[in-house]
Amino acid sequence: MAASNTVKYGIIGVGMMGREHLINLHHLRTENVAVVCIADPHVSSQKLALELAQSFGWPLTVFSGHQDLLDSGLCDVVVVSSPNMTHYQILMDIIHHPKPHHVLVEKPLCTTVADCRKVVYAAKKRSDMLVQVGLEYRYMPPVAKLIEIVKGGSLGQVKMVAIREHRFPFLVKVNNWNRADPVRVMASGAIDVNHKDEVYDGKVPDIIDNAYVIIEFDNGSRGMLDLCMFAEGSKNEQEISVVGDIGKGEAFVPESIVRYGTRVAGRDGVQTLKAEDDRIKYDGLHHGSSYLEHLNFLSAIRAKGEKAPAVDLQDGLISVAIGVAAQLSIEKGRFVTIKEVMDEHHWNVLFKY
């Protein structure tokens, strides 16, 4: 492939996750990609990213602000991995920029449903841009294998999905920021262990560190998240269970094991598989899923409009709406419908009273 066909990337926000994207893209260099510029207001983050890029032999142009990066015209694709609360303004500036840039934005899309909706609306006017949201767990080999089994019909009609995420607390951030349709959400959660002895700008962090979240879908199926962020003593960080009317499947991360069986075959008929993906050249922080996410998005970019992003803006909007509904359910002690949080007028009333 000629050098002129190199896909040039810029990264906005080169803290821990931004540098993880830099490393993943370096491992994709055989696909003719290069990171050519970064933007970050924090000099310490700039220096760490520059050191990484120099070790890769990649010269970087450094900007302190995202607008300067966009105006430079240096890149074709922008990775947004800045603090959550900055996503909205950065995305709107990218979307409204005269030069089209394809975008991979880290989750969450934005921090409010209203801002997500504005981004979705604005992006509809830019058919010359692809925007993918970084919901990367689906690319983890055991999760991808479980999805394949479900789609293959081995489990029948899905009735229940459960995700147990028992892990470490959120890591320190720069400046300390932190397809069935869902119908309603019920959650119970609290701040029980983490961050209770921390104070930033005179305030104690309000990050919920454990919760149970139940989601009801319009097709009658239900999902549950069992989240604990002080469970470092776990063999697996994620355990996913899908139960259909004729069988059950499970995925375990990072063991990378998948088990599935049918009601008819019973316990003795349960099969165990080791899930692997030979395409992964770098495991990184997310067990190879970020690498595959980039590979997938690059394929969509090179398809020039013939292939949609695997995780689009609507997916990003719905994921934020579910999270907001769960937060509100914890505060109000009741079920919260997705319609409530998607309805802007009703949203304002809910948080006023």
Side-chain angles (χ1 to χ4, degrees):
M1 186 178 290
S4 61
N5 290 328
T6 297
V7 179
K8 299 175 182 176
Y9 285 73
I11 302 177
I12 298 174
V14 287
M16 183 191 69
M17 197 58 219
R19 295 193 298 274
E20 176 75 357
H21 283 295
L22 179 59
I23 298 169
N24 273 281
L25 288 165
H26 170 66
H27 282 86
L28 272 168
R29 64 192 181 281
T30 55
E31 300 292 330
N32 216 15
V33 306
V35 177
V36 298
C37 54
I38 60 170
D40 197 301
H42 300 278
V43 175
S44 58
S45 294
Q46 292 176 9
K47 287 181 177 177
L48 289 168
L50 273 172
E51 288 171 5
L52 259 183
Q54 286 168 359
S55 72
F56 300 154
W58 276 352
L60 288 184
T61 302
V62 180
F63 301 98
S64 59
H66 69 275
Q67 193 66 53
D68 291 334
L69 180 148
L70 298 174
D71 291 343
S72 73
L74 291 174
C75 59
D76 314 299
V77 185
V78 176
V79 177
V80 178
S81 46
S82 56
N84 297 351
M85 67 282 189
T86 67
H87 288 188
Y88 169 71
Q89 191 57 57
I90 291 172
L91 288 169
M92 292 300 273
D93 289 343
I94 295 171
I95 291 167
H96 289 135
H97 199 274
K99 173 181 167 60
H101 297 84
H102 302 303
V103 185
L104 175 64
V105 55
E106 269 298 334
K107 57 185 178 295
L109 174 59
C110 301
T111 55
T112 71
V113 171
D115 283 351
C116 287
R117 292 177 71 171
K118 291 173 190 173
V119 169
V120 171
Y121 179 76
K124 286 181 178 178
K125 300 177 182 178
R126 294 300 300 259
S127 59
D128 53 351
M129 291 172 52
L130 294 178
V131 184
Q132 178 160 319
V133 182
L135 298 168
E136 81 286 344
Y137 276 26
R138 69 198 62 209
Y139 297 113
M140 292 180 181
V143 179
K145 183 62 180 178
L146 181 57
I147 292 171
E148 179 187 317
I149 290 168
V150 171
K151 288 183 174 179
S154 298
L155 311 184
Q157 184 177 355
V158 173
K159 298 297 183 181
M160 300 176 72
V161 178
I163 301 175
R164 171 181 287 174
E165 182 165 12
H166 283 195
R167 51 167 287 176
F168 50 88
F170 281 129
L171 300 176
V172 174
K173 309 293 184 180
V174 66
N175 276 6
N176 302 302
W177 66 268
N178 255 8
R179 265 312 170 217
D181 292 323
V183 176
R184 64 175 188 163
V185 176
M186 179 67 188
S188 173
I191 307 167
D192 286 334
V193 176
N194 297 335
H195 314 298
K196 297 181 77 172
D197 58 350
E198 300 172 19
V199 177
Y200 304 103
D201 296 328
K203 298 179 181 178
V204 176
D206 59 354
I207 302 169
I208 290 171
D209 61 16
N210 69 101
Y212 292 111
V213 182
I214 298 171
I215 307 162
E216 295 182 348
F217 294 86
D218 61 358
N219 65 354
S221 61
R222 292 188 303 281
M224 187 187 78
L225 170 66
D226 165 1
L227 175 67
C228 181
M229 304 193 72
F230 45 89
E232 292 91 332
S234 303
K235 190 172 183 65
N236 288 295
E237 272 188 32
Q238 290 89 27
E239 299 178 5
I240 303 172
S241 167
V242 179
V243 184
D245 54 3
I246 64 172
K248 174 182 176 180
E250 297 174 284
F252 301 90
V253 180
E255 274 190 296
S256 209
I257 288 173
V258 175
R259 296 193 184 100
Y260 70 102
T262 63
R263 297 174 67 188
V264 172
R267 184 178 293 115
D268 293 339
V270 173
Q271 299 182 55
T272 300
L273 306 173
K274 182 71 173 178
E276 297 174 325
D277 193 318
D278 293 337
R279 296 175 298 169
I280 296 173
K281 295 181 180 178
Y282 174 66
D283 284 337
L285 299 177
H286 299 104
H287 315 294
S289 62
S290 294
Y291 180 89
L292 294 175
E293 174 183 56
H294 274 292
L295 194 63
N296 183 282
F297 189 46
L298 180 62
S299 173
I301 291 168
R302 287 199 161 127
K304 299 185 183 300
E306 297 298 317
K307 180 179 178 182
V311 188
D312 63 18
L313 286 170
Q314 189 65 24
D315 296 320
L317 167 61
I318 293 299
S319 69
V320 170
I322 292 172
V324 168
Q327 179 84 36
L328 188 55
S329 176
I330 290 170
E331 293 178 13
K332 300 291 184 181
R334 63 169 175 83
F335 268 106
V336 173
T337 67
I338 297 299
K339 185 177 186 302
E340 286 179 71
V341 299
M342 294 290 276
D343 183 338
E344 200 165 341
H345 170 72
H346 196 74
W347 168 260
N348 292 333
V349 172
L350 278 172
F351 277 92
K352 183 176 180 181
Y353 300 105

